[in-house]
Amino acid sequence: MSAGRTAVNRESHSPERPSVTPNARAWESPRGWALSLALISTVAVAARVAYVLWVLGPVRSGLDAIWYQLQGGSILAGTGYVVPTSLFEGELTPTAAFPPVYPAYQALWQWMFGPGATAVRMAGVVPGVVTVVLVAILGRALADARVGLLAAGAVALSPTLVAADSSTMSENLTVPLVLAALVLAHRVLTKGIGWTSVIALGAVCGVAVLTRQDLALIVVLVALPAVLASAGTGMGARLSAAALVVLVVVAVVGPWMWRNHRAVGTYAVSTISPSSALAGSNCDATFGGPDLGSWSFPCVVDATPTGGEPEVEVADAQRTRATDYVRTHLSGVPLVLAARTSRVWAAWDPRDLARRDADETRRYGWQVVSRPLDAVLAMVGGIGLVRLGRRRSWGWEWLIVAAPLVMVCVSAAASYGNPRFNVTALPVLSIGAASLLTGLIDAKRSDAAVRDGPVNGACLGAQSSGSRSRRNS
């Protein structure tokens, strides 16, 4: 009897922190979670519509946005994928200047809602909602339902993502496409090879490449490793699935590359878009001074032939000028790479970043506020992801969260430090930030339970003693 009392006393005075189980919330049920996500999605729609109408209204569209709008109109009119200026000339000129998916999406949007400036800026509302839904799904898979919803809320109201979705640029689609690939890859990685998921993963990666060709990295960094490391699957099935992913990507991208070969003389996904990025970021202006690590339009002009050369020759000339410059200025590359990395993660003068953002259909004052928030999110979200991964003992799951961050860094290093490139990583960083927040909340509740424990125990003891006294009387 004495030993029993001793054991009970030791247990009751144990210094271990008691387990705290939060009260059940309505959103923890599948129906409640779906309703909560629907509410967050509605908020996302409202935020983007309000931004277009009341924040972006007086801002003039940037050159890329105008290009996409005109190209979408050309596709809709049946004149095809041509140089937009040739629409106003006597002869249509085929082009492969930019990848085709976003112009095709613009054509569909303009068919439904018209070609007006406000209408085309609203085209990002649907991809924005898809992004919110996908980040909730990914957050729930990587952490739990609460983290998924908090991350979705952060994405719904993210100033940077709201601006990106309203910019009439390809970021409208790249963010949800990257997230879709991550969700599918996580499913294949943790649930095993499902051939429908494998085909869908390859298709999403192929469409992503046709939206922004540097997203080909997602095939190497996410799709193939996820398939090859898939749980509970034999090596033969994994190798077959990897081959199927590559085959589907080729089936999606190949016809466009063949079209480009026939129309403009190259198998590239795009021509002027990557070559002008290289020419404008590898020159005297961007290897020093206020443009360090950024991009300079005059450098592109200097690298562009003026004799009416075909598009492919223009792209070759721009690319050659850039590579020759880097080859003769290797000593300056480390500083430039550091500046590009700092810029892409918004760890730079926000006024300079916002001024450049204003050339890409964004409001200067909005960007001045949003860019420091990006820098904070990168730091807080990164810490949260590390803590979450350690707590969950991630293995190959690290691929899912690290790939977008790596792709942002590689894209910036290979081209220039444009902070709009970081949008593909912001949803994953939001998951990390949400996980860190919920961890802090749970720790605070646990500390409160430790403090209240003896009081609650005494109250329970008094209640039990009173009950016994009443029964005895």
Side-chain angles (χ1 to χ4, degrees):
M1 192 71 175
S2 174
R5 290 196 196 96
T6 303
V8 171
N9 290 337
R10 285 176 181 169
E11 184 176 349
S12 63
H13 289 87
S14 172
E16 293 181 1
R17 175 173 291 179
S19 175
V20 176
T21 303
N23 295 330
R25 301 290 192 271
W27 47 259
E28 291 177 336
S29 68
R31 183 173 182 273
W33 190 83
L35 289 174
S36 299
L37 183 54
L39 177 61
I40 294 171
S41 299
T42 303
V43 172
V45 171
R48 283 150 180 79
V49 171
Y51 176 84
V52 170
L53 294 179
W54 293 300
V55 177
L56 196 60
V59 176
R60 291 184 299 177
S61 295
L63 292 178
D64 286 353
I66 294 173
W67 194 96
Y68 283 124
Q69 182 177 353
L70 291 174
Q71 195 63 257
S74 175
I75 295 172
L76 178 60
T79 48
Y81 204 83
V82 299
V83 176
T85 54
S86 71
L87 294 169
F88 310 101
E89 299 170 351
E91 182 179 355
L92 297 176
T93 305
T95 185
F98 288 78
V101 166
Y102 188 66
Y105 174 69
Q106 267 292 327
L108 175 63
W109 185 267
Q110 291 179 34
W111 175 70
M112 293 188 294
F113 300 103
T118 300
V120 298
R121 290 175 176 182
M122 292 288 186
V125 170
V126 174
V129 171
V130 174
T131 297
V132 167
V133 172
L134 289 174
V135 76
I137 294 172
L138 184 60
R140 183 174 61 176
L142 292 173
D144 55 41
R146 181 174 50 159
V147 168
L149 290 177
L150 283 174
V155 166
L157 295 175
S158 165
T160 296
L161 290 173
V162 169
D165 286 336
S166 309
S167 65
T168 322
M169 297 181 70
S170 61
E171 283 76 23
N172 288 186
L173 298 182
T174 56
V175 178
L177 284 169
V178 168
L179 274 174
L182 297 182
V183 169
L184 290 167
H186 185 268
R187 181 177 181 82
V188 171
L189 180 65
T190 57
K191 305 296 184 183
I193 298 294
W195 296 106
T196 301
S197 296
V198 170
I199 293 171
L201 178 59
V204 168
C205 290
V207 174
V209 172
L210 291 178
T211 306
R212 213 176 75 192
Q213 65 186 35
D214 60 314
L215 293 184
L217 286 170
I218 204 168
V219 179
V220 178
L221 296 178
V222 176
L224 292 179
V227 168
L228 292 173
S230 180
T233 309
M235 179 57 70
R238 283 182 279 170
L239 290 174
S240 298
L244 181 58
V245 167
V246 174
L247 182 63
V248 173
V249 171
V250 171
V252 172
V253 178
W256 174 251
M257 297 177 68
W258 176 250
R259 175 265 176 197
N260 288 347
H261 171 66
R262 296 285 300 273
V264 300
T266 179
Y267 285 106
V269 172
S270 63
T271 54
I272 300 300
S273 175
S275 67
S276 62
L278 290 174
S281 60
N282 295 285
C283 57
D284 288 339
T286 58
F287 268 55
D291 290 337
L292 176 66
S294 188
W295 184 85
S296 171
F297 181 71
C299 290
V300 178
V301 174
D302 290 343
T304 302
T306 58
E309 288 81 356
E311 183 176 296
V312 172
E313 293 183 17
V314 171
D316 287 342
Q318 292 175 344
R319 195 161 39 245
T320 299
R321 174 72 70 89
T323 54
D324 287 347
Y325 186 88
V326 172
R327 193 177 297 114
T328 57
H329 294 80
L330 291 176
S331 61
V333 169
L335 178 61
V336 171
L337 291 179
R340 289 174 180 175
T341 303
S342 297
R343 283 181 176 274
V344 80
W345 293 114
W348 202 266
D349 181 356
R351 295 167 299 177
D352 179 68
L353 298 177
R355 178 176 59 81
R356 298 171 191 276
D357 288 338
D359 294 330
E360 297 180 327
T361 323
R362 288 162 171 85
R363 187 73 176 262
Y364 175 82
W366 184 276
Q367 298 302 120
V368 167
V369 174
S370 71
R371 288 312 179 195
L373 294 178
D374 288 349
V376 172
L377 179 60
M379 182 170 54
V380 173
I383 294 172
L385 289 174
V386 170
R387 289 169 64 94
L388 177 61
R390 289 177 177 175
R391 188 167 68 248
R392 297 274 173 164
S393 300
W394 284 345
W396 287 99
E397 289 89 349
W398 281 109
L399 285 173
I400 306 302
V401 299
L405 312 181
V406 173
M407 288 192 296
V408 169
C409 292
V410 172
S411 295
S415 56
Y416 63 102
N418 191 331
R420 71 180 173 88
F421 295 161
N422 72 25
V423 292
T424 53
L426 295 185
V428 170
L429 290 170
S430 296
I431 293 173
S435 174
L436 185 63
L437 176 61
T438 58
L440 294 174
I441 292 172
D442 289 345
K444 189 173 182 179
R445 286 177 176 172
S446 184
D447 290 339
V450 170
R451 292 193 300 270
D452 296 342
V455 175
N456 292 335
C459 292
L460 290 173
Q463 292 173 358
S464 177
S465 177
S467 299
R468 286 195 299 270
S469 298
R470 286 191 294 271
R471 285 196 300 270
N472 291 337
S473 61

